[in-house]
Amino acid sequence: MNWLKRPLRAIFDRVESMLDAVFGAQHNPLAQLGALGWYLFWLITASGIYLFVFFDTGVTQAYESIESISRDQWWAGGIMRSIHRYASDALVLVAFVHLLREFALDRMRGVRWFAWITGLLLVGFIYVCGITGYWMVWDQLAQYVALTTSRWLDVIPIFAEPISRNFLSNTELSGRFFTLMVYIHIAAPLLMLLFMWVHIQRYNHARVNPTRPLMIATTVAFVALSLLMPALSQAPANLDQLAASVGLDWFYIPLYPLVDTLGGVTLWGLVIGIFVVFAALPWVPPLRRAQPAVVHLDNCNGCARCFADCPFSAITMQPRSDGSGFTEEAVVDPDLCVSCGICVGACPTATPFRRATALVPGIELPESSIADLRERVEKLCAGGPGGPPRILAFRCAHGAAVESVPGADVAVIDVPCTGMVPPSFLDLIVTRRMAAGVLLAGCRESECHQRLGVRWTEARVAAERDPYLRDRVPRDRVAVSWASPAQKSVRARAIRNFATALAGLDPALPRSATGSHAPWRDAARRLARPLRWAIQLLVAVGIGTLIVRYSDSPAITLRGADEAIVTLSFSHAGRLKEECRKLTPEEIARLEPNMRRPRDCPRARWPVYVELELNGKLVYRGEHLPAGIWDDGPSSLFERFAVPAGAQHLTARLRDSERDSGFDFSNTATVELVPGQSLVVGFRASDGFSFR
Amino acid sequence: MASVEWRPEFATGIADVDHEHRELIGWINQTLAAAGDTAGDPGKVGDLLGEVFARISAHFALEEHIMSARRYDQFAEHKRDHEHLLDDIRDIMDDVEAAGGPVEERFSARLSEWFGAQFRTHDARFHQRMPGA
Ligand code: HEM
Ligand code: SF4
Ligand code: SF4
């Protein structure tokens, strides 16, 4: 999959870097797609509740009630309706970009499979919500959705009678199915919320709210969109008349035209196939992962700092198992651990000052131990021929490269995440003058690959989160640099500027900090404010246009201009294969006492064979087996034909008995069809065929 | 030579904390002994101090965890003291490191004074506030 992942990652990296410059790393929407999804969900829920208050759940009144919401209270209900639709479309957009991004960043393999699989299920929920939502409007699009969904579901052989028969004509329209859709449209979002919660269960401090400015901007954008381009219904549904075309919401209904072109069975195969391929992605190939963190009880007193900091909820505090005087101990669930080392950075016994005992912390990564980290620091800081390095950099595996620049030789130590470096290491290096400065060189500021590495690293250096970097460590000798692999120049500039800043410091180290706890950082490169605002507006307008443009167009053609539709559909039970027979007293006596009955009635029925002729030409013939496992149910069918408008001579014939030629019923009719007219050829044993 | 002894009034009643206090006192006394031993290896004092620093850091971490879990009303104050005390130890460590020569008695004086005060004032209050835990 790397052939696809790598270029995708490069694209995301570039675009995100640009958006960083436009929105600022903190408010970059691409870095908080999951949170945006949650916010959109709340917007949709709130507007949905409002709409439901005015919505009439009867199929014949639904359309009118929604029209009235849009027209009579355009200033409230109308806006709510538009927000409801546009935020739903945006949710599809956000979910797919989120999916693509997690894929590109390879954050679905290993222990992250759980979020991936639950995320895929969320896509299913989004579609069920959207499709049932469009159904409720009962306009032309709803009619198309109802008919096409029914036809698509009807290829699954579990329904006794085709669902499509609910939507034969205005007079026979059954409200039952419509009401079911209303229920599903309310139940599905509730279930979806449950799954959204499950989706982030394994994340500590999961981000479920976008930053406030982003929330406000999103809301304002939707209100503006709703006023400028209100979402409206199409013409009311009319089952007796098929429109020539219908505008689709391409976020929700893009696959429906395929029901007609590919057929329902093929489309099911396609959808299930795509789902299976996506669901398999976390394991093709499986991640060759580093060993999970391990706890050394001899050095763990149960302080729970690792537990508080683990981004993946891989640590739990459990009753002490080693008989020592402590009550709790940290326990790592290897199935949840991604080996980021952030827990190690939090552990108070992971301090390099320990020398009287072996440097074994309470928790660490077997493949990059703290003792080894200290050894690497000591070795690099002993220096080569030129003496100790000016800058010692801890570089995270997911960030931009760190290279020496003229005037600043940089020694680099690779770590899984900058969050793995305990602050006491910085204390050691700076106060013992092992290097002029320490650089924590991590990945992208807007979203850390290990979720919380950037945040915890900054908070520890700023003495806002345990373990604090000691006050006494001068912060002008500790720098942070956040840069993704694509942000090479950002990194290089930071190193250059940090080296210059270090050169200007008094070489006699001050013993304690100057008061500020903030680490040194390169001035953020942001565009000029008006330019930033202009681009932000442009991005919003672009996304808004995309949503409005594809939320009800382009239209698809449903029939030729001069075509009418003939639907052959009925549900009719064939005759019983055997007549009921009176049992003789001896036969009755032979039966189990609880099975004794006077008559034996085998329930199996004959299949129903039917033919339809149009102007003397056979357009349909088929044999329909009885439903039910005992072959005792009705035979039913639902078949549509496009026919030229004008006079049509129709003949329908049917056989429902043991005879193997000839017919039990036959009717003919001549009808004058206007374009778009929907004529139903029905059948009832009592009346024969009807042509309506 | 100064040393710290466990006394019943040090007890906080919280099993973890008391257990670790006793362990700590062991480390501290070892360090004091090494510091008082003028003929000894000054490097050894530094090593032991590093160990004491680690153990006290861990000890404070545990205390803070318990305090915040039980919503101890003077958590912020106590936490601030912890941080100052850790700063003090780091200062002592750096002095020892910089002195290079034999370690003087005053370090041991600072240490024992410091530990005595720590147990008497802060933990005593913690003990009163968190009875019977
Ligand atoms: C309604 C739709 C969705 C919502 C609201 C949502 C929300 C979220 C949230 C809040 C996070 C946690 C972000 C963090 O704090 O680090 C997350 C992570 C994740 N999501 Fe989704 N998500 C949705 C759909 C999806 C889909 C469709 C997929 C892909 C199939 C997906 C895959 C993932 C993955 C793999 C992560 C984990 C990232 C990591 O391990 O750092 N999500 N999602
Ligand atoms: S941070 Fe270290 S000492 Fe504290 S609970 Fe975790 S492993 Fe144990
Ligand atoms: S290595 Fe990372 S994921 Fe594993 S337990 Fe430590 S903090 Fe959690």
Side-chain angles (χ1 to χ4, degrees), chain A residues 95-106:
Chain A
F96 275 110
V97 179
H98 176 51
L99 179 154
L100 218 58
R101 185 166 174 276
E102 301 301 336
F103 169 79
L105 294 175
D106 204 17

Side-chain angles (χ1 to χ4, degrees), chain A residues 249-302:
Chain A
D249 181 319
W250 290 91
F251 295 95
Y252 280 98
I253 325 284
L255 295 183
Y256 271 40
L258 298 180
V259 175
D260 289 319
T261 51
L262 295 181
V265 178
T266 314
L267 188 57
W268 275 118
L270 199 69
V271 168
I272 294 171
I274 291 175
F275 181 83
V276 168
V277 167
F278 272 71
L281 284 177
W283 294 276
V284 285
L287 186 69
R288 268 192 40 237
R289 56 156 307 183
Q291 286 179 38
V294 291
V295 174
H296 302 295
L297 284 183
D298 284 353
N299 288 286
C300 167
N301 64 2

Side-chain angles (χ1 to χ4, degrees), chain A residues 391-512:
Chain A
I391 298 174
L392 182 65
F394 292 98
R395 186 190 88 99
C396 115
H398 304 279
V402 173
E403 277 151 8
S404 291
V405 294
D409 73 301
V410 184
V412 182
I413 293 180
D414 284 310
V415 286
C417 172
T418 55
M420 179 182 151
V421 184
S424 50
F425 268 78
L426 313 184
D427 186 352
L428 175 81
I429 296 161
V430 172
T431 58
R432 299 265 161 100
R433 305 183 200 199
M434 296 169 78
V438 181
L439 176 69
L440 293 161
C443 57
R444 179 181 286 289
E445 178 175 11
S446 52
E447 206 212 19
C448 164
H449 187 82
Q450 308 293 19
R451 300 190 60 245
L452 302 173
V454 170
R455 219 166 121 195
W456 291 170
T457 301
E458 291 224 353
R460 289 168 187 169
V461 171
E464 285 162 1
R465 187 177 181 87
D466 291 315
Y468 292 3
L469 177 62
R470 305 238 60 77
D471 263 359
R472 60 210 307 284
V473 180
R475 298 306 200 267
D476 39 15
R477 292 188 184 271
V478 176
V480 291
S481 155
W482 310 122
S484 73
Q487 295 174 309
K488 287 196 193 83
S489 60
V490 172
R491 180 76 100 219
R493 216 176 66 124
I495 295 172
R496 225 170 26 241
N497 291 348
F498 184 42
T500 312
L502 285 174
L505 293 182
D506 185 351
L509 283 166
R511 281 285 305 249
S512 58

Side-chain angles (χ1 to χ4, degrees), chain A residues 299 301-305 325-328 348 351 353-357 427 431-432 466 468 470 472 511, chain B residues 16 19-20 27 47 50-51 53-55 58-59 61-62 64-65 79 83 86-87 90-91 93-95 97:
Chain A
N299 288 286
N301 64 2
C303 73
R305 280 192 178 166
F326 300 112
T327 49
E328 286 189 321
T351 155
F353 295 109
R354 284 174 62 190
R355 297 210 176 261
T357 56
D427 186 352
T431 58
R432 299 265 161 100
D466 291 315
Y468 292 3
R470 305 238 60 77
R472 60 210 307 284
R511 281 285 305 249
Chain B
D16 300 43
H19 171 71
E20 210 167 34
W27 280 108
D47 289 356
E51 204 67 36
F53 175 68
R55 301 290 151 194
H59 175 62
L62 176 60
E64 286 161 17
H65 169 55
K79 165 86 180 153
E83 295 298 329
L86 288 173
D87 279 337
R90 280 290 294 112
D91 280 345
M93 285 163 70
D94 278 3
D95 286 353
E97 185 81 10

Side-chain angles (χ1 to χ4, degrees), chain A residues 672-687:
Chain A
E672 182 71 33
L673 294 176
V674 299
Q677 182 177 346
S678 171
L679 179 88
V680 179
V681 181
F683 175 79
R684 249 187 231 167
S686 51
D687 319 326

Side-chain angles (χ1 to χ4, degrees), chain A residues 289 292-293 306 309-315 332 336-344 363 365:
Chain A
R289 56 156 307 183
C306 53
D309 278 9
C310 173
F312 298 91
S313 307
I315 300 176
V332 177
L336 300 183
C337 172
V338 302
S339 314
C340 63
I342 290 175
C343 50
V344 185
I363 191 166
L365 299 178

